[in-house]
Amino acid sequence: MYAQMIKTAHSGVHKREDMTEQERAFQDRIDAGEKIEPRDWMPDDYRATLIRQIGQHAHSEVVGQLPEGNWITRAPTLERKAILLAKVQDEAGHGLYLYSAAETLGESRDELVRLLHEGRMKYSSIFNYPTLNWADIGAVGWLVDGAAIVNQVALQRTSYGPYSRAMVRICKEESFHARQGYSAFMAMALGTPEQKRMAQDALNRMWFPCLMMFGPSDKDSVHSEQSMAWKIKVATNDELRQKYVDQTIPQIEYLGLDLPEAGIVWNEARGHYDFDMPDWSEFFNVLKGNGPCNSDRMADRVNAWEDGAWFRDGLMAHARKARARKMAAE
Ligand code: FAQ
């Protein structure tokens, strides 16, 4: 369904004077802070925008398992290994909650996965960067999950009920993820000089890719204006990015690391840190599939899907037999 709706998901901002009576009544519900539920009437492009965003979000959780999953066998202690295993498993669960939320809009998980594998849907740019060493794994938990949380805490207030409720649970689990990341990273930052050097290097490399997670600057964000009007998004890309920078700088200082060379200066008048924006040409290049790991990530996902076909077929055969047995017994 989303494949046919892609055009409407990009159809520009709705003006009140152009709305039908039904659309106006819908907007009034949004403005009054009501949640929209699956059986409620909604405009086609509200539905398509949600499927796009929730679908991409779900794909990010699943693809996001890859950079950390590849370090489970190499975790430095059994305790770190058990923690990382649980964390990566949680990400799969987050993907499932989100695919389920998309299903309430009439879009199947199989269809969304097909669109991802055909390169017609996106996942978060951050997962196209490599995790080179153990310091990077701490940094993913601290900085990547930290960025995801800033975004997802805001999304708890999104206007679509199932998405909002999925976010409440996901945020609880993400806060464990960020803490385990900070704990692993702190052990490196406060460790030997070589560990500290690795931690500083991980921070420097991940800083800008993490800022990119919030999307392009507001002036270049295609969807923000309409998504804000519908309260699908409750804060803009730049607002959330600022919030993230403001909360992360004191955490870097606490670790005794140098701030990344990224124009970070406290601005007393604004009451916020000033900082340089990432190189947006790099961001858009990663979105086009040209990041350091895009092709590896997609190949891993497509292979996993194909290798799992026998298991899905087995589950379906079992379900069919169980159903036939149940019906015969009735
Ligand atoms: N990466 O008009 P906007 C996680 C695309 S969860 C890739 O501003 P929008 C947990 C955007 O889709 C991380 N594409 O778009 C974890 C659009 O393209 P389209 C995922 C991006 O939707 C941690 C175009 O650029 N979180 O990490 C990105 O209003 C550790 C124009 O952009 C979510 O998905 C990007 N960074 O705002 C898991 C949160 N940014 O669709 C494992 C929900 C933008 O027209 C390990 N999503 N694009 O072809 C959102 O809040 C929004 O979708 C934004 C983008 C803020 C990401």
Side-chain angles (χ1 to χ4, degrees):
M1 181 175 69
Y2 176 66
Q4 287 99 51
M5 293 174 96
I6 282 176
K7 271 211 181 81
T8 56
H10 292 82
S11 65
V13 181
H14 293 230
K15 295 196 185 76
R16 193 164 180 93
E17 58 270 26
D18 299 333
M19 289 179 192
T20 63
E21 207 173 308
Q22 201 170 28
E23 286 167 346
R24 264 199 294 273
F26 176 82
Q27 188 63 50
D28 288 344
R29 289 190 61 197
I30 299 271
D31 294 343
E34 282 182 41
K35 292 274 182 250
I36 306 301
E37 296 299 337
R39 293 188 183 173
D40 296 347
W41 182 86
M42 61 186 83
D44 284 348
D45 31 1
Y46 175 84
R47 186 185 297 276
T49 300
L50 277 171
I51 295 173
R52 178 186 63 78
Q53 180 168 320
I54 297 173
Q56 288 183 7
H57 197 162
H59 297 327
S60 304
E61 301 284 355
V62 172
V63 178
Q65 294 177 98
L66 296 171
E68 288 173 297
N70 109 39
W71 276 90
I72 291 171
T73 54
R74 291 175 285 169
T77 66
L78 187 57
E79 189 190 21
R80 293 279 181 211
K81 184 183 293 209
I83 293 171
L84 186 60
L85 192 58
K87 194 262 188 208
V88 172
Q89 182 175 294
D90 278 357
E91 306 298 359
H94 295 176
L96 294 186
Y97 308 153
L98 287 160
Y99 286 125
S100 299
E103 274 175 353
T104 68
L105 292 156
E107 189 58 291
S108 73
R109 171 153 48 127
D110 283 1
E111 173 66 359
L112 291 175
V113 169
R114 186 178 69 80
L115 291 169
L116 172 71
H117 291 179
E118 288 176 359
R120 295 164 70 193
M121 281 189 86
K122 298 186 170 76
Y123 57 89
S124 182
S125 50
I126 187 72
F127 302 118
N128 292 310
Y129 290 85
T131 41
L132 302 177
N133 55 46
W134 182 252
D136 286 15
I137 296 302
V140 168
W142 166 39
L143 294 170
V144 175
D145 284 84
I149 291 173
V150 168
N151 186 306
Q152 292 171 154
V153 163
L155 285 173
Q156 292 180 112
R157 289 181 286 125
T158 189
S159 59
Y160 187 57
Y163 192 23
S164 151
R165 291 188 286 274
M167 283 301 113
V168 173
R169 179 154 177 192
I170 288 179
C171 281
K172 290 202 172 100
E173 293 173 355
E174 293 282 26
S175 93
F176 147 65
H177 297 174
R179 278 165 213 214
Q180 68 82 32
Y182 198 61
S183 151
F185 199 81
M186 196 185 306
M188 298 290 290
L190 305 180
T192 64
E194 177 59 7
Q195 286 174 315
K196 186 171 179 174
R197 192 199 58 73
M198 286 169 69
Q200 183 70 59
D201 176 57
L203 168 63
N204 294 348
R205 274 185 291 111
M206 287 205 189
W207 179 253
F208 282 122
C210 285
L211 296 191
M212 293 175 191
M213 288 178 71
F214 297 93
S217 292
D218 291 351
K219 64 178 172 37
D220 296 319
S221 167
V222 191
H223 303 292
S224 281
E225 194 178 350
Q226 182 60 65
S227 289
M228 296 284 289
W230 276 328
K231 297 189 184 164
I232 289 175
K233 286 166 83 165
V234 295
T236 71
N237 300 357
D238 286 337
E239 285 165 356
L240 293 175
R241 193 171 6 251
Q242 179 74 62
K243 196 166 195 219
Y244 175 68
V245 171
D246 288 347
Q247 81 174 35
T248 305
I249 301 300
Q251 296 168 359
I252 299 174
E253 285 168 345
Y254 181 78
L255 293 171
L257 295 179
D258 296 332
L259 297 178
E261 284 180 19
I264 300 165
V265 186
W266 175 251
N267 183 325
E268 191 65 43
R270 289 200 311 121
H272 293 288
Y273 285 96
D274 291 338
F275 57 95
D276 293 341
M277 282 291 174
D279 173 356
W280 292 119
S281 62
E282 176 182 324
F283 170 74
F284 287 113
N285 205 30
V286 171
L287 259 52
K288 279 194 209 128
N290 304 322
C293 301
N294 292 62
S295 50
D296 287 351
R297 300 295 186 230
M298 283 314 297
D300 284 349
R301 282 313 313 156
V302 171
N303 288 342
W305 182 256
E306 288 171 357
D307 290 349
W310 67 272
F311 188 68
R312 289 191 300 278
D313 291 347
L315 284 177
M316 291 307 288
H318 176 74
R320 272 193 301 273
K321 275 191 196 161
R323 189 157 180 262
R325 265 199 301 273
K326 190 169 173 239
M327 282 170 72
E330 280 171 3

